Amino acid sequence: MEDERSVVELMRSMGLADDSVARVSRLWGKSAARNDGRTHLLLGHLLDTAAVAGVMWDWYVSAAFRLRLDEVSGGRGRVWFMWVCGIHDCGKACPAFQAMDAAEAAPVLAAGLSLRRLPGGRQKRWRHDVAGAVLLMPRLVAEWGGEEAAGWVWPLVAGHHGAFPSIAALRPPRGAQGQGAAWEGVQRGVVDVFTRAVGFEDLADVRPVQSLRKAEQLALSGLIVMADWIASDSSQFPGLADADQISFAGARHRAEAAWERLRLRGGWRDLPLPENSLAPLTHRLGVQPRASQRELVERAWSMPSPGLSVVEAPMGEGKTKAALAAAEVLAARFGLDGVFVAMPTQATSDPMYEQVLRWVRTFDPELEPQVALLHGRRRFNAWWRAIWDGNPRPDDDSCGDGDHHRAAGMADDDFGAIDEDADYDMAPAQPATERAVDPATDGPAYWFLGDKRGLLTAFAVGTVDHLLHAATRTKHVMLRFAGLAGKVVVVDEVHAADVYMRQFLVEALRWLGQAGTPVVLLSATLPPAQRQRFVDAYLSGVLGTADVHEPVPAPAGYPCVTVAFGVNGRAVTETSAEAVKSWRESVPVRLGWLPDTDPGGARVAAAVRDATVGGGVVLVVVNQVDRAQAIYRDLRDGGFAGALHLLHARLCAAHRAVRTAECLHLMGPEAGEERPERMVVIATQLAEQSFDVDADVLITDLAPTDLLLQRIGRLHRHSGTRRPTAHQAPKVLVTGVAQGPDGAPQFLPASKHIYGEWSLLRAVALVSEAAGTFAAADAGKGEAAGWSIPDDVPGLVARAYGDTGLCPAGWNEAGAWERWQAKERQRENNAEQYLLCRQREWAFPTLEGLHYAGSRAASEEQLDAVVRDGDPSVEVVVIRRASGGYRAVDGTWLGVHGEVDDDEATDRLLGGLVRLPPTLTDAAQTELTPLSGWADRPWLRYRRALVLDEGQSRLLGANRVSYDDVLGLVVKREAR
């Protein structure tokens, strides 16, 4: 039972002298100037935060983490969690903080405490997070009997504003920390009365009986920040300036009411075990389990501890449904509270979000609003908008565009403000800019929409960047990691991570392994060396050792499942001992060459016409947007007699969404009789993965072997599809390569730039084994041969990335290999500077000094650049200048200054979002700004406008840029 006494009564019962009681009772934690006009005393905020932590324990923290905190605290996990969350701001009991606000400092001075405001220079400021560590550490060492326990607890206090300092930073400027008996008594009093109020006898009673592992400390730190941010919301926790009104019981009532008003909650909350081993597949997902799906779920049942599962199976095998079923088993067995599904792109995240929504709803319809979609264009997902705006769902007949009304007064709410900390160069939490229909109705928790909080929702689907962000040495990384640590993490299309991104994925796996977080990796085309590296990384986390190499047994066949986990301090890896039968028989795919390195793609257009003479659906996948546009123009202007679609990354958001949906409708598994007799889709790499379409013929630019196989996965994908007689057997034409003067392959410059020469040379060699030589004279002669898909997939991928030479001597494969290796090493080095932990420091037991080199990425845009190597790019909104004002890309009138006055117009405007090619980044950053009419619109105020003149183009740098509703963004070098 919480103590009903006020903190004043409590201090007196503890024997504090009257002057100490008076002084502690005057210390402020939130100033009236920045707290809605009401001072909030320091003890009030500490108790509010502890009380929020108590509610989090009851309704949010996963069972697995509650168990760990119980183990660490000797069975008192809840009260220990409340203490460690609430003590975070004890450093505000020092002169440097108390002198920050003259009005608040006056009562402190009057109580007899001397204050010394430090000079304002950045280097001389004394932050209260670090001050808290300095205040606590000597007491913890003295009263806990040594430095071991204190050594991992003080960084939790010192790092609660997003960065963990080294111990060398705990050196206060003279007078900043407070000197003399008065300050010493006040600081001791704050800690002691808070400690007694939450339920401990004294500080010695708080001592943990064991230590959390470093990754668990990081997750705990994130939960501390979460509790602090919730308790810092002045609209939910009004200031209390009278210590006689502050008690822990009162804080608990405030916290419970705030939690309910904010609609915060966790996920499954102690999920029961499924009724039988395959129920997660058969009952939950309604599928007749395939052999590979059964294999994964059975592995989830048999693992003795949380571990890593690597699933390799053909395209269309049902890997993601199997992963969700396995996630249910793992969560129920090991006490996890939700799931994060990481996808390679925004485009692939949307359909997965809808699948996860339906899956989560089968557990409890009330969980549906707890599913977050994490990417920058979620506003355009109909399901997300319906749920977060409180509208009918897209599968309801009544669902339409509707009115997106907002709650009055909510537009400028700042959930979790920590504005006081701006004076310490600590940026306040960013306000959530998306708001609810009616805060009184059931629905999602809008608090989670704030900056850096998305992963804290119980269930989330988003781009893999969010997982990678949690492995970067950036500010508030602990919030991201806390959002992962209580979940099962599923990473789809894991092969899509290049060597740079793979550095962060490996780092994330290491931390997740140490946190006891189950991870499921999915791929159709995973090189064996990558599988081994992922396993080693996860096991290094499990064992807490920097260098672990546990050889993965060779799989018996394909599909296969590899698992890795720890038992009694020993690493274990297992893989499918018997061949797992694929759900469909392997099919021979004929391969042929179409030599062509002309970016204009005239030969490709001609081949499309030939392939569709008797009808058919052709998918063309090329490696650059300009080439896709040129092929489309050739076919369109030549009078192609059939449906013609163009899909690439330089289409604005609205056009791309509509076109993708149309392609999925006409070529997807449910197309049926609506599948056209003759249709061509010309696409870039967007069609490479998670694009569930079925083509009769594939024409593709050469790409590395694994990506080539991904593209082939769109060919004859669905059973029962109606096809012309000429296309009963799947056929691929490989283009984008031709014979050079020396007989070696010559590639499109864009392909060589994107993929490197070595992987392309090896792809040519492997295709040539099935299709004959790529030389123009022999093109097509090898069409009778081919690859057996999916049986040949693992062997082809292993050979493509193996050590054995594949190419003729004249191709200089060795030189290409050396160049490729040098570039890969350089990219690895580039990534290393942002990794969360230096390898030699991995075994360090605490978070001390984790941010040894600072946290360089300040914005989400910068953070995206950190985890994705390559030239930076800029997203802009296409605007058309019109007589007297501006129009959106779809013609919607915007007003004289571009202003919009409702959400529907904003949606239409943002439908014009498009990402510029990197070559235009410098010019865009220099020349493009938001329109003046967007200043008051949260979604628009930071968006750059690409304003096209009445001729529908403009000069941007040295390039003429235009936007065509069909072709998308067109960029031409301006002649000088």
Side-chain angles (χ1 to χ4, degrees):
M1 183 70 181
E2 284 88 357
D3 202 322
E4 299 279 351
R5 291 175 293 177
S6 74
V7 292
V8 173
E9 294 173 307
L10 190 57
M11 284 188 281
R12 287 179 176 146
S13 74
M14 292 167 61
L16 267 69
D18 287 346
D19 57 352
S20 291
V21 172
R23 289 165 183 161
V24 172
S25 299
R26 299 289 172 82
L27 297 177
W28 63 277
K30 303 285 180 183
S31 67
R34 298 189 176 188
N35 199 56
D36 285 350
R38 298 180 64 173
T39 300
H40 196 33
L41 295 180
L42 177 56
L43 279 176
H45 177 58
L46 299 189
L47 291 176
D48 284 345
T49 308
V52 169
V55 180
M56 287 169 59
W57 179 277
D58 296 336
W59 300 107
Y60 181 82
V61 181
S62 71
F65 203 63
R66 296 199 306 270
L67 177 62
R68 280 296 290 133
L69 291 179
D70 271 332
E71 292 171 347
V72 164
S73 63
R76 299 181 296 177
R78 186 177 189 273
V79 66
W80 196 88
F81 180 59
M82 290 192 296
W83 181 86
V84 78
C85 287
I87 202 68
H88 74 285
D89 259 355
C90 67
K92 288 184 175 179
C94 74
F97 182 86
Q98 292 296 311
M100 278 177 52
D101 185 291
E104 304 296 351
V108 179
L109 284 166
L113 288 170
S114 61
L115 298 179
R116 180 181 173 184
R117 178 75 189 250
L118 297 177
R122 181 175 181 178
Q123 300 304 319
K124 295 184 179 180
R125 290 184 178 180
W126 184 234
R127 300 200 320 253
H128 70 264
D129 49 355
V130 182
V134 173
L135 186 158
L136 272 179
M137 189 159 50
R139 290 200 61 189
L140 298 184
V141 171
E143 299 185 42
W144 289 1
E147 296 185 2
E148 183 178 349
W152 69 267
V153 172
W154 74 256
L156 300 176
V157 174
H160 80 263
H161 279 308
F164 298 98
S166 66
I167 197 164
L170 308 189
R171 295 174 183 162
R174 181 169 180 159
Q177 190 71 11
Q179 296 175 324
W183 271 112
E184 182 181 339
V186 160
Q187 291 167 351
R188 177 174 286 272
V190 167
V191 173
D192 288 348
V193 70
F194 167 76
T195 299
R196 179 72 67 85
V198 297
F200 287 105
E201 284 298 314
D202 51 32
L203 190 58
D205 191 30
V206 182
R207 183 180 183 229
V209 298
Q210 58 176 271
S211 299
L212 288 177
R213 307 182 83 193
K214 184 160 65 175
E216 294 169 332
Q217 295 168 30
L218 190 66
L220 174 57
S221 176
L223 295 175
I224 293 170
V225 174
M226 178 178 173
D228 179 25
W229 284 11
I230 293 170
S232 295
D233 180 357
S234 59
S235 68
Q236 304 297 329
F237 294 84
L240 295 173
D242 183 351
D244 286 310
Q245 296 178 0
I246 295 173
S247 68
F248 189 58
R252 177 176 56 83
H253 292 309
R254 284 155 61 93
E256 288 174 347
W259 188 267
E260 187 173 346
R261 283 193 299 268
L262 292 172
R263 296 196 295 234
L264 297 168
R265 61 161 292 163
W268 282 311
R269 310 310 299 150
D270 305 315
L271 180 69
L273 287 169
E275 58 190 46
N276 63 65
S277 62
L278 292 180
L281 282 168
T282 57
H283 298 171
R284 183 80 59 205
L285 291 162
V287 301
Q288 186 62 38
R290 295 167 178 168
S292 61
Q293 293 174 321
R294 284 199 304 272
E295 173 84 356
L296 176 58
V297 173
E298 287 167 0
R299 291 281 180 179
W301 278 107
S302 66
M303 271 193 288
S305 59
L308 173 71
S309 304
V310 184
V311 182
E312 297 166 72
M315 294 69 78
E317 185 76 15
K319 295 186 289 293
T320 50
K321 285 187 176 179
L324 294 178
E328 178 182 352
V329 174
L330 293 167
R333 291 187 62 219
F334 299 122
L336 286 309
D337 202 41
V339 172
F340 173 56
V341 182
M343 303 298 294
T345 63
Q346 294 182 2
T348 56
S349 298
D350 282 351
M352 180 55 61
Y353 170 67
E354 293 165 24
Q355 184 173 336
V356 170
L357 270 177
R358 294 185 175 94
W359 174 66
V360 166
R361 197 188 300 153
T362 66
F363 294 95
D364 182 349
E366 290 187 6
L367 288 176
E368 183 188 67
Q370 310 307 316
V371 185
L373 177 59
L374 305 180
H375 66 67
R377 295 187 179 184
R378 64 188 176 193
R379 187 180 179 92
F380 304 107
N381 182 283
W383 273 97
W384 189 87
R385 283 301 297 267
I387 289 170
W388 290 81
D389 284 355
N391 290 329
R393 306 302 190 249
D395 55 354
D396 293 341
D397 291 338
S398 57
C399 184
D401 287 339
D403 294 325
H404 305 300
H405 297 299
R406 305 293 187 187
M410 293 190 70
D412 295 315
D413 273 2
D414 189 355
F415 292 126
I418 49 173
D419 297 316
E420 216 63 60
D421 308 310
D423 280 356
Y424 291 95
D425 293 321
M426 305 299 252
Q430 295 301 309
T433 55
E434 305 147 279
R435 289 296 182 250
V437 175
D438 181 358
T441 61
D442 290 336
Y446 299 93
W447 187 89
F448 289 124
L449 293 178
D451 189 24
K452 305 173 184 174
R453 306 174 201 171
L455 284 174
L456 293 169
T457 48
F459 306 95
V461 179
T463 54
V464 71
D465 303 62
H466 292 273
L467 171 61
L468 306 183
H469 290 170
T472 57
R473 194 179 59 256
T474 48
K475 197 171 177 184
H476 290 117
V477 66
M478 68 283 287
L479 267 178
R480 304 179 197 279
F481 191 77
L484 294 171
K487 296 179 173 65
V488 180
V489 175
V490 177
V491 187
D492 202 2
E493 311 276 12
V494 71
H495 56 269
D498 62 20
V499 66
Y500 183 90
M501 295 169 66
R502 211 153 47 234
Q503 295 291 97
F504 297 99
L505 180 55
V506 164
E507 180 76 356
L509 289 173
R510 189 178 288 123
W511 285 81
L512 291 170
Q514 190 175 77
T517 300
V519 178
V520 183
L521 305 180
L522 309 177
S523 178
T525 55
L526 191 65
Q530 286 189 34
R531 180 203 309 137
Q532 182 67 60
R533 191 174 182 199
F534 294 152
V535 165
D536 288 345
Y538 189 88
L539 289 175
S540 75
V542 170
L543 301 182
T545 305
D547 299 308
V548 172
H549 180 67
E550 186 67 23
V552 176
Y558 179 74
C560 68
V561 177
T562 300
V563 294
F565 49 85
V567 177
N568 299 322
R570 180 174 57 89
V572 178
T573 60
E574 299 172 352
T575 194
S576 303
E578 298 179 1
V580 178
K581 186 176 177 60
S582 178
W583 73 279
R584 62 179 178 182
E585 295 297 323
S586 207
V587 175
V589 175
R590 292 187 296 158
L591 276 78
W593 290 110
L594 180 63
D596 175 44
T597 55
D598 174 13
R603 290 201 68 186
V604 176
V608 168
R609 292 187 180 95
D610 290 343
T612 54
V613 166
V617 175
V618 177
L619 174 63
V620 179
V621 183
V622 295
N623 294 340
Q624 63 186 128
V625 174
D626 293 346
R627 182 165 160 87
Q629 291 171 330
I631 294 169
Y632 179 90
R633 277 194 297 257
D634 190 309
L635 290 168
R636 180 193 62 186
D637 298 346
F640 176 76
L644 194 57
H645 297 276
L646 178 63
L647 188 60
H648 58 72
R650 284 191 222 156
L651 292 167
C652 69
H655 294 158
R656 179 168 158 183
V658 168
R659 215 166 292 177
T660 300
E662 189 171 4
C663 290
L664 290 170
H665 174 69
L666 297 174
M667 297 172 65
E670 309 299 327
E673 294 301 314
E674 293 189 59
R675 183 179 173 91
E677 294 291 334
R678 181 182 286 106
M679 183 169 86
V680 176
V681 176
I682 302 145
T684 55
Q685 292 93 330
L686 294 180
E688 198 165 84
Q689 54 206 6
S690 299
F691 189 52
D692 193 10
V693 298
D694 182 335
D696 298 324
V697 178
L698 172 68
I699 301 176
T700 174
D701 277 348
L702 183 75
T705 306
D706 53 333
L707 303 183
L708 205 57
L709 289 165
Q710 288 289 333
R711 296 177 187 186
I712 291 173
R714 317 302 131 197
L715 188 62
H716 287 234
R717 185 179 176 94
H718 305 136
S719 58
T721 300
R722 169 173 53 87
R723 305 186 199 282
T725 304
H727 299 315
Q728 291 301 305
K731 177 180 175 181
V732 180
L733 284 177
V734 181
T735 186
V737 60
Q739 188 175 37
D742 57 356
Q746 198 169 49
F747 306 113
L748 285 162
S751 301
K752 193 171 176 180
H753 174 74
I754 295 167
Y755 301 117
E757 186 180 19
W758 177 75
S759 60
L760 294 176
L761 285 173
R762 291 176 75 85
V764 172
L766 290 171
V767 173
S768 295
E769 293 176 359
T773 178
F774 63 92
D778 298 321
K781 288 189 177 179
E783 288 182 4
W787 290 338
S788 183
I789 304 296
D791 284 356
D792 288 348
V793 168
L796 287 167
V797 174
R799 291 179 67 201
Y801 291 97
D803 299 329
T804 305
L806 295 178
C807 305
W811 293 9
N812 191 20
E813 182 183 3
W817 161 255
E818 289 176 4
R819 291 189 295 274
W820 185 78
Q821 278 287 87
K823 187 173 181 181
E824 296 288 276
R825 283 193 296 269
Q826 181 59 53
R827 297 179 74 197
E828 287 183 351
N829 291 337
N830 292 345
E832 189 173 345
Q833 63 179 316
Y834 293 105
L835 290 179
L836 184 51
C837 189
R838 290 180 290 196
Q839 187 172 12
R840 65 181 179 273
E841 295 176 352
W842 170 244
F844 286 10
T846 80
L847 296 170
E848 184 260 321
L850 189 68
H851 289 85
Y852 64 93
S855 47
R856 305 181 188 184
S859 67
E860 290 294 313
E861 193 173 69
Q862 289 172 317
L863 194 52
D864 289 340
V866 164
V867 298
R868 288 186 183 263
D869 192 22
D871 299 325
S873 59
V874 173
E875 201 170 53
V876 299
V877 184
V878 178
I879 301 294
R880 304 189 194 277
R881 192 182 297 279
S883 177
Y886 301 92
R887 293 188 181 275
V889 73
D890 69 346
T892 298
W893 174 250
L894 301 178
V896 176
H897 303 291
E899 58 270 26
V900 291
D901 54 10
D902 60 32
D903 283 345
E904 184 174 351
T906 300
D907 284 351
R908 291 179 176 276
L909 175 61
L910 287 173
L913 278 171
V914 66
R915 188 164 292 280
L916 300 178
T919 52
L920 299 179
T921 297
D922 289 344
Q925 291 176 335
T926 302
E927 301 176 28
L928 304 184
T929 60
L931 294 181
S932 59
W934 298 353
D936 296 327
R937 304 294 293 185
W939 276 90
L940 298 174
R941 63 168 66 112
Y942 302 117
R943 299 281 187 185
R944 289 183 170 88
L946 179 69
V947 180
L948 306 179
D949 59 29
E950 295 184 8
Q952 303 309 312
S953 72
R954 67 162 291 158
L955 196 62
L956 189 59
N959 295 277
R960 175 64 57 179
V961 179
S962 60
Y963 188 86
D964 181 276
D965 287 351
V966 176
L967 295 175
L969 194 76
V970 179
V971 181
K972 292 183 179 179
R973 189 77 174 177
E974 189 82 346
R976 294 186 177 180

